[in-house]
Amino acid sequence: MNKELVIVLDFGGQYNQLIARRVRECSVYCEVHPYTLKLDEIKAMNPKGIIFTGGPNSVYGEEAPRYDKRIFDLGIPIFGICYGSQLMAYTLGGSVESAPVSEYGKAEVTVDQSSLLFDGVSEKTICWMSHTDYISKAPAGFRVCATTPVCPVAAMELPEKNLYATQFHPEVMHTQDGLKMLSNFVTHVCGCRGDWKMSSFVEDTISSIRQKVGKGNVLCALSGGVDSSVAAVLMSKAIGKQLTCVFVDHGLLRKNEGDEVEAVFGPDGPYDLNFIRVNCQQRFYDKLAGVTEPEQKRKIIGEEFIRVFEEESRKIGAVDFLVQGTIYPDVIESGLGKSAVIKSHHNVGGLPDCVDFREIIEPLRLLFKDEVRKAGRELGIPEYLVSRQPFPGPGLGIRIVGEVTADKVRIVQDADAIYREEIARAGITGLGQYFAALTNMRSVGVMGDERTYDYAVALRAVNTTDFMTAECSEIPFEVLQRVMNRVINEVKGVNRVVYDLTSKPPGTIEFE
Ligand code: XMP
């Protein structure tokens, strides 16, 4: 297959996967590789272009990651960004120095619009700078094609050899025309057609899974969340009944969620796979009885989950591969070319230690969440599953403040279902995450002529892009009132509904 590929060579910057993702947005397939990737390996991959990332080092530092100078003679277009630009300058005989004024943040850059890189970019454009060193003199033959008042070489080029470099970061959103610049590089400089689509990713992944798995058996812990669902469907399309999905219903799922997952992945669903649903709600409630400390609850739920999974896998017998729905944000890259360290997947923490298998398959590890959703749609997974909001592994266990009981689970499930129904009915979209939680506060109320002494449900809705910070969403008051009315009338055991205004920080999104 004649697939266009652009390689991002990782020199330890923070935005490496973002660069890859932006290139994919230009419909060109892109992968990140450590800078230790050998010249021969690069040649064998036959990329249309190479991008050097930023990084924390100074090119003069002893530990500084460098690259074989011969890469510049391969005839493959290269784009250096930040540290990558300095590395290009340094390797080809320019000068890099500690800048008299380090630039951090948005800067107005004046660009030479005749450069292919800046085609269609306005002459004065806002770019994101983050550097202490800078190129003080471009290598012989290079032309300076952008400057700022304090940065003499904000961009440079050697068009005859298809070499380009910017001191600023085109991949971050703060660079106004950054996507345009990356698109100019991949189309005008690398000559890519830009015909890569998510469907190609899906097709390629399916064929490489088939190759890798052969006749082996594969086990997948399915949570019903977006990532593990997309991973499971991808695997089932590739290897059908060689795949067994184990879905643990720990009794801490949202209302009807267990049945919804079973409807899609179970024997009556559209997919060719073995599906095992383990109903062990009571087992989890028993373990959680009397436990109020949040971290202890998390630990118990995580451990019990593993025990159940272990028991089921023992029944299945020998497993060759284990599938994890790890996506890029779950992957912590060391950045400096050492192999990536994987955070134990949130939802199935610790699994790899307890199941006897040969290898882990992580078909989504290069994708961002919205790309995973796109892949899911491509695979024909129902929209309500694909667009599902994130749900924590410990489930409602951390949305019930204090002790978890079956009755409290019922309360929070019912209140949450009403809340979600009303949000949908009001046509509110674009919320980062929203849910009902059950506080451990009981207070006095009056219903009819009776005194009540019941629980308070808290409604939470936040806007967030990265889940590291979040702001309370402004849900219309009449919607909140409708939810309050319904919860109090329809959910036994609740006599008060409050709306949580806290942002993160200082709060967290979940209550525990
Ligand atoms: P916090 O509450 O830390 O949540 O602001 C940030 C995001 O992470 C999710 N979350 C979890 N996910 N296991 C998970 O799989 C957990 O223990 C866990 N705790 C929080 C939370 O839903 C939000 O999206």
Side-chain angles (χ1 to χ4, degrees):
M1 196 179 29
N2 180 19
K3 188 173 77 177
E4 294 179 331
L5 168 72
V6 167
I7 291 178
V8 171
L9 267 196
D10 176 0
F11 288 96
Q14 294 170 49
Y15 306 123
N16 309 336
Q17 286 292 344
L18 197 55
I19 301 173
R21 186 234 160 89
R22 294 277 180 254
V23 174
R24 294 198 292 262
E25 278 176 38
C26 304
S27 305
V28 173
Y29 187 62
C30 186
E31 284 177 2
V32 179
H33 290 273
Y35 78 96
T36 46
L37 187 71
K38 301 216 169 50
L39 203 61
D40 284 344
E41 293 175 301
I42 293 185
K43 270 198 245 172
M45 293 165 104
N46 191 25
K48 300 283 282 183
I50 300 170
I51 300 178
F52 289 1
T53 72
N57 297 74
S58 165
V59 284
Y60 292 109
E62 264 180 33
E63 300 271 286
R66 307 222 173 87
Y67 204 86
D68 190 330
K69 192 176 176 176
R70 290 174 298 167
I71 194 168
F72 296 106
D73 299 323
L74 292 178
I76 302 170
I78 299 179
F79 185 2
I81 295 173
C82 196
Y83 177 82
S85 74
Q86 296 162 10
L87 185 69
M88 185 186 286
Y90 168 82
T91 312
L92 296 174
S95 312
V96 176
E97 288 173 30
S98 178
V101 185
S102 44
E103 279 179 298
Y104 183 81
K106 290 181 183 173
E108 190 181 68
V109 177
T110 308
V111 306
D112 179 342
Q113 292 165 302
S114 70
S115 164
L116 281 184
L117 201 59
F118 301 125
D119 182 28
V121 174
S122 32
E123 191 183 2
K124 304 251 183 231
T125 184
I126 300 297
C127 298
W128 184 258
M129 290 282 192
S130 169
H131 65 107
T132 40
D133 282 1
Y134 73 168
I135 302 170
S136 51
K137 190 162 153 287
F142 273 77
R143 194 172 74 93
V144 173
C145 52
T147 54
T148 76
V150 295
C151 185
V153 189
M156 62 177 195
E157 63 176 16
L158 183 60
E160 307 86 271
K161 296 195 81 175
N162 289 326
L163 302 181
Y164 290 81
T166 59
Q167 180 56 70
F168 53 83
H169 290 268
E171 71 277 20
V172 304
M173 260 173 22
H174 309 297
T175 297
Q176 232 167 33
D177 280 319
L179 187 58
K180 180 97 198 107
M181 297 170 198
L182 283 164
S183 155
N184 285 343
F185 175 70
V186 296
T187 54
H188 298 347
V189 180
C190 304
C192 292
R193 297 182 300 273
D195 51 10
W196 181 80
K197 293 193 269 336
M198 191 47 87
S199 56
S200 333
F201 169 83
V202 167
E203 282 163 26
D204 292 356
T205 309
I206 287 176
S207 77
S208 67
I209 290 169
R210 277 191 192 134
Q211 252 186 351
K212 181 173 213 162
V213 171
K215 294 197 180 328
N217 294 319
V218 181
L219 186 62
C220 173
L222 183 67
S223 71
V226 182
D227 307 341
S228 69
S229 298
V230 174
V233 172
L234 205 48
M235 295 302 297
S236 98
K237 297 247 170 176
I239 55 163
K241 283 268 167 30
Q242 285 163 264
L243 172 71
T244 302
C245 288
V246 175
F247 168 57
V248 178
D249 186 342
H250 51 25
L252 302 165
L253 299 169
R254 285 165 289 199
K255 190 169 183 175
N256 300 330
E257 199 168 11
D259 295 342
E260 283 170 15
V261 172
E262 184 169 354
V264 175
F265 292 99
D268 299 331
Y271 302 113
D272 187 29
L273 49 81
N274 299 303
F275 175 81
I276 299 173
R277 174 174 177 175
V278 193
N279 285 316
C280 46
Q281 294 88 337
Q282 197 54 48
R283 176 170 170 171
F284 278 79
Y285 301 154
D286 290 346
K287 284 276 171 187
L288 288 167
V291 182
T292 55
E293 208 283 311
E295 278 315 297
Q296 206 187 341
K297 289 199 303 190
R298 258 202 180 75
K299 223 167 142 225
I300 290 171
I301 297 167
E303 270 178 23
E304 207 53 23
F305 186 93
I306 293 169
R307 294 291 90 79
V308 175
F309 191 77
E310 223 172 3
E311 288 165 22
E312 290 308 313
S313 17
R314 251 185 240 121
K315 288 184 208 160
I316 296 164
V319 174
D320 301 291
F321 300 91
L322 187 74
V323 181
Q324 289 202 314
T326 320
I327 67 171
Y328 176 67
D330 300 330
V331 177
I332 304 161
E333 299 247 306
S334 70
L336 286 177
K338 291 164 200 146
S339 64
V341 179
I342 302 162
K343 188 165 53 166
S344 56
H345 191 209
H346 250 353
N347 294 320
V348 288
L351 273 185
D353 296 335
C354 68
V355 184
D356 195 14
F357 63 95
R358 264 201 348 247
E359 215 178 309
I360 294 186
I361 300 180
E362 296 174 306
L364 308 174
R365 77 192 304 277
L366 291 178
L367 303 187
F368 283 76
K369 192 81 173 187
D370 59 322
E371 293 180 307
V372 173
R373 293 192 210 274
K374 246 193 224 169
R377 290 188 186 104
E378 201 59 53
L379 286 160
I381 302 176
E383 186 57 34
Y384 73 87
L385 265 184
V386 171
S387 54
R388 204 163 241 187
Q389 49 172 325
F391 187 63
L396 301 179
I398 57 169
R399 289 184 182 169
I400 294 170
V401 179
E403 188 186 4
V404 175
T405 63
D407 196 45
K408 286 182 173 179
V409 170
R410 173 201 49 89
I411 292 178
V412 77
Q413 277 180 339
D414 287 348
D416 184 67
I418 291 171
Y419 187 29
R420 283 188 289 135
E421 229 174 86
E422 291 300 330
I423 292 276
R425 188 171 297 166
I428 300 171
T429 53
L431 296 173
Q433 203 169 356
Y434 60 99
F435 54 86
L438 185 60
T439 71
N440 59 352
M441 181 189 83
R442 293 176 78 188
S443 64
V444 174
V446 55
M447 255 184 135
D449 291 326
E450 296 285 321
R451 172 189 189 272
T452 56
Y453 185 59
D454 279 329
Y455 283 106
V457 158
L459 305 177
R460 180 99 168 115
V462 293
N463 297 331
T464 175
T465 45
D466 54 9
F467 296 90
M468 305 296 287
T469 59
E471 292 294 331
C472 164
S473 313
E474 289 187 36
I475 307 276
F477 198 62
E478 65 273 14
V479 177
L480 291 174
Q481 264 182 322
R482 231 179 353 256
V483 178
M484 177 274 294
N485 258 318
R486 282 195 58 196
V487 169
I488 301 236
N489 282 306
E490 296 173 34
V491 186
K492 195 166 160 287
V494 181
N495 68 350
R496 201 173 284 269
V497 176
V498 298
Y499 187 60
D500 183 358
L501 297 173
T502 324
S503 56
K504 174 183 180 178
T508 54
I509 295 176
E510 301 291 348
F511 275 55
E512 289 194 336

